[in-house]
Amino acid sequence: MGIENLIAKVLASGADLSTRSAVRAVLSLMGEDAELADQIYVELKNRAYAEDFAKVPPEKRAVFIPQCLRNFRECQAELGEYGFECVKCGRCPICSIIEAGERLGYRQFYIAPGGSLVKKILKSKVPKGEIKAAVGIACWPELAEAAEKLSHLRIPLQAVPLLRAGCINTLVDVKRVEQALSLGIGSGVRGSKVPSIESNPTPGF
């Protein structure tokens, strides 16, 4: 069964889907693969928060980029207070993501080496109103964890999964990231749709 069909089946169950564990329990009861719980939970959150996310101006949206997307051998970025500071050398997808975001009016890009730094950034900037929405790129388990935490902070998230996970030189579909970034901006103000998880991915690097 395709993921889209499985999501429809889970939604049709009418069960509580507010947490990762709840989604996992529903899948188990249905006899479906519970390992898909994180993916389904994230996609449900993407759809649930798309409208709220679209209402937030880009300068108030933070883009969290995993450091594993860097070209590990050639990256020239230095680690600063809020993560690695990209020099736009073009040797990895991060440059394309940041430039796409800047064209749309984004100003906050955080290349985080770990979850503890993300927590520090949120703790510092959310209370000040500097971050009111977020785009997150990571593997499914990390995205699911982030979706849960940000929902408690009332920060709408649009999550984009890595095409290839790991600790170094990972991959992401840059076009899908751009779709998430542009949600609610320009021609897509009201007509934007959350990208299909079954669309043909185009690696950014």
Side-chain angles (χ1 to χ4, degrees):
M1 180 182 294
I3 292 296
E4 292 286 354
N5 289 334
L6 186 53
I7 289 175
K9 183 178 177 181
V10 169
L11 287 171
S13 72
D16 171 29
L17 303 172
S18 59
T19 65
R20 298 160 71 189
S21 58
V23 173
R24 184 177 294 274
V26 170
L27 289 173
S28 294
L29 288 172
M30 289 180 170
E32 302 289 350
D33 186 0
E35 294 302 314
L36 294 173
D38 285 344
Q39 183 175 351
I40 291 174
Y41 176 75
V42 169
E43 293 297 344
L44 290 174
K45 287 294 186 182
N46 273 353
R47 299 173 192 199
Y49 287 115
E51 186 174 346
D52 289 339
F53 178 91
K55 294 176 182 177
V56 178
E59 65 272 15
K60 296 291 185 180
R61 302 178 185 179
V63 184
F64 291 98
I65 304 169
Q67 67 89 22
C68 59
L69 276 176
R70 297 183 300 131
N71 184 320
F72 183 71
R73 296 184 182 278
E74 300 182 38
C75 182
Q76 302 173 36
E78 295 186 0
L79 186 60
E81 182 182 4
Y82 293 123
F84 287 96
E85 298 172 355
C86 182
V87 298
K88 299 181 181 178
C89 68
R91 294 186 174 101
C92 76
I94 294 176
C95 175
S96 297
I97 292 169
I98 291 177
E99 289 182 341
E102 288 176 338
R103 289 194 296 270
L104 293 167
Y106 283 76
R107 297 293 179 266
Q108 301 185 72
F109 303 91
Y110 303 105
I111 307 171
S116 59
L117 182 56
V118 173
K119 292 177 184 177
K120 174 185 175 182
I121 295 168
L122 293 172
K123 185 176 181 180
S124 171
K125 297 182 176 292
V126 170
K128 299 175 185 177
E130 295 178 23
I131 294 178
K132 293 188 176 181
V135 173
I137 304 168
C139 59
W140 288 115
E142 289 183 355
L143 290 176
E145 182 179 350
E148 279 194 319
K149 291 180 178 178
L150 289 176
S151 65
H152 293 311
L153 295 174
R154 299 182 182 277
I155 300 295
L157 171 72
Q158 288 301 295
V160 181
L162 292 169
L163 292 176
R164 183 178 71 204
C167 297
I168 60 172
N169 297 335
T170 54
L171 289 176
V172 71
D173 182 351
V174 173
K175 290 188 182 298
R176 181 169 179 181
V177 177
E178 291 176 353
Q179 284 181 297
L181 292 172
S182 63
L183 193 62
I185 299 174
S187 61
V189 171
R190 292 292 172 259
S192 293
K193 296 176 67 177
V194 178
S196 170
I197 57 180
E198 295 186 341
S199 61
N200 295 324
T202 304
F205 187 72

